[in-house]
Amino acid sequence: LTQALRTIEEFVVAVRPGAVRGDEALAMIGLLARFERAAASGIALLSPVVVETGAFAKAGHASAPEWLAAVSGSSSGVAKGRLAAAERAAVSPALVGALREGELSPSELQLVTKAAASAPGAVDSLLEMKAQGAGHQELSDEAARLRCAARCAETARAQRARVHQLRHLRTHQAEGGGIRGEFFCDEVVWARVAPGLEADAKARWKAAGPQRESLDAYRLDAFVDYLAGRGSGGTARPHTLVLVDAGALQRGTAEGGELCEIDGIGPVSVEAAAELLGEGTVQFIVRSGIDIRTVTRSTRTIAQRISVALIARDRCCVVPGCGKRLGLEDDHCQVEFGKGGPTELGNLARLCGPHHSMKSHGGWRLDGGPGHWTWVAPPNAPTAGRIARERKVAVAKATRNRPNQR
Ligand SMILES: [Zn+2]
């Protein structure tokens, strides 16, 4: 260990960032990140020994979290979380194995051990996902789903009561100026307003043209207008989509990997979802296997039916490891729309904005199909700056060609 440490320290002292090319830096960081992960795994494997033996006191520390915080330069809250995860991992052979292989980062380890505490079987299914290349967001979504499914109706009810009791909206002036805020509320409550805000923000983003700001910025504008009673309201009302597996709906609780989820918000108990039944703007999609069994409210056009089926199929951006759920765009994945690509399920996939842009303007390609997508690089993959420039040119061109269209 001492030798390895010296090697890295020498590297860090010697490296001249100004003389390193972008792709060289990329490769170096790839290796350094593996060191980081391996080191974190070692800490997770060994720290229970320090806790058990009380060796931290010998070094002058009052508690184990205080000791780990001091040696790793983190807050004691973070150290506490790491120690708890390490202790839970120590009793799981599968997790010890994953740590030895250097497969899990500290935050992934915490995510898995936390899920495992309430959902037995979570370790295996999450490690399996990780082995297949799932990213942090995908793991975190699946962990939330498993935890939600493991809760019995009683605890789900108690949890919602707790959330309701702790609900709040707090704002304060930030240090550098500006108002910062935070809110906390029940998923069902949020499901009644979030789709409207999201649709409004997206419409503003689309209308803004090539100089557009981030979707987050337009979310805030939509939010403020909504609070001031100036919500857009004009266009067709957006729908809250609830996706639920037929089995879960029959039973009243979701089990294992079953789905009961408010689109764009996250998993909820079947009981909570049922509160939204019958509300005018809420659409229930009942899934059986990969088939859509029922869609409440009549979807009038084929396009609508396809878009609903697409949302049920692609729960997040389909690029492996991405996992983004908000602001997804429909992409004609095999044959482009402009080249006569059909608008049918087999030719569509949902992508997040940045990945959609990489595909449309950076030459990246989607291969495979649902459940086995691969993200294929073009021969000479462009940098982020180059893709952004290409996108700006394309947007400007499109605006010029449609001068009368808003
Ligand atoms: Zn993505």
Side-chain angles (χ1 to χ4, degrees), residues 22-387:
D23 43 358
E24 285 173 339
L26 187 91
M28 286 172 187
I29 291 173
L31 284 175
L32 289 168
R34 278 171 65 186
F35 279 121
E36 199 174 60
R37 191 172 286 212
S41 290
I43 291 174
L45 288 168
L46 289 170
S47 56
V49 181
V50 177
V51 176
E52 247 166 65
T53 57
F56 55 84
K58 280 192 179 179
H61 296 284
S63 70
E66 194 226 298
W67 153 74
L68 187 60
V71 290
S72 63
S74 65
S75 73
S76 68
V78 168
K80 213 179 208 168
R82 277 182 86 172
L83 284 176
E87 268 171 79
R88 278 188 236 124
V91 294
S92 156
L95 277 177
V96 170
L99 284 174
R100 286 193 194 283
E101 300 292 324
E103 283 168 10
L104 294 172
S105 72
S107 68
E108 285 166 346
L109 180 66
Q110 283 189 33
L111 208 148
V112 176
T113 52
K114 248 189 213 161
S118 48
V123 171
D124 290 336
S125 60
L126 291 173
L127 285 181
E128 167 85 32
M129 272 181 78
K130 177 73 196 164
Q132 282 168 2
H136 196 274
Q137 183 65 54
E138 290 167 291
L139 285 179
S140 145
D141 283 354
E142 182 62 16
R145 220 169 277 144
L146 290 168
R147 274 203 311 271
C148 198
R151 249 173 255 135
C152 65
E154 210 51 56
T155 39
R157 228 168 282 155
Q159 174 176 298
R160 288 190 71 206
R162 177 184 59 85
V163 170
H164 179 72
Q165 211 166 34
L166 295 174
R167 74 192 183 284
H168 64 258
L169 169 68
R170 295 191 194 110
T171 56
H172 66 271
Q173 189 176 31
E175 231 171 86
I179 301 296
R180 218 167 245 300
E182 179 199 80
F183 72 87
F184 183 67
C185 74
D186 180 62
E187 284 90 345
V188 172
V189 170
W190 186 233
R192 293 193 171 108
V193 291
L197 281 178
E198 193 60 21
D200 190 353
K202 247 187 185 166
R204 287 163 194 254
W205 182 82
K206 270 202 180 127
Q211 302 304 324
R212 63 174 63 121
E213 300 165 79
S214 74
L215 191 54
D216 282 341
Y218 296 113
R219 275 193 196 114
L220 190 269
D221 295 345
F223 186 59
V224 171
D225 278 359
Y226 193 82
L227 291 182
R230 301 187 299 253
S232 67
T235 49
R237 291 194 70 184
H239 299 137
T240 303
L241 291 177
V242 177
L243 295 112
V244 56
D245 275 319
L249 199 58
Q250 271 163 7
R251 227 178 292 112
T253 51
E255 282 176 2
E258 277 180 342
L259 204 62
C260 180
E261 202 164 312
I262 304 174
D263 187 46
I265 292 183
V268 292
S269 66
V270 176
E271 201 176 86
E275 275 178 33
L276 293 165
L277 259 173
E279 288 191 21
T281 58
V282 180
Q283 199 165 1
F284 269 68
I285 301 167
V286 183
R287 200 176 69 160
S288 175
I290 52 164
D291 295 331
I292 308 292
R293 273 270 185 85
T294 323
V295 176
T296 63
R297 308 179 83 259
S298 59
T299 26
R300 283 181 302 276
T301 64
I302 294 176
Q304 266 177 319
R305 230 174 296 154
I306 288 171
S307 116
V308 162
L310 192 63
I311 289 167
R313 194 194 69 191
D314 299 345
R315 299 300 305 126
C316 54
C317 172
V318 300
V319 172
C322 176
K324 274 214 193 74
R325 282 192 303 212
L326 280 179
L328 298 186
E329 295 162 12
D330 293 354
D331 177 64
H332 288 73
C333 49
Q334 313 295 344
V335 189
E336 270 173 54
F337 187 65
K339 292 177 185 156
T343 301
E344 57 187 40
L345 209 50
N347 191 35
L348 288 165
R350 295 215 297 164
L351 287 176
C352 68
H355 275 131
H356 200 188
S357 183
M358 284 176 82
K359 185 168 174 292
S360 309
H361 310 294
W364 285 76
R365 220 173 50 187
L366 262 181
D367 262 4
H372 57 100
W373 292 111
T374 51
W375 188 229
V376 187
N380 218 332
T383 61
R386 171 92 188 272
I387 296 172

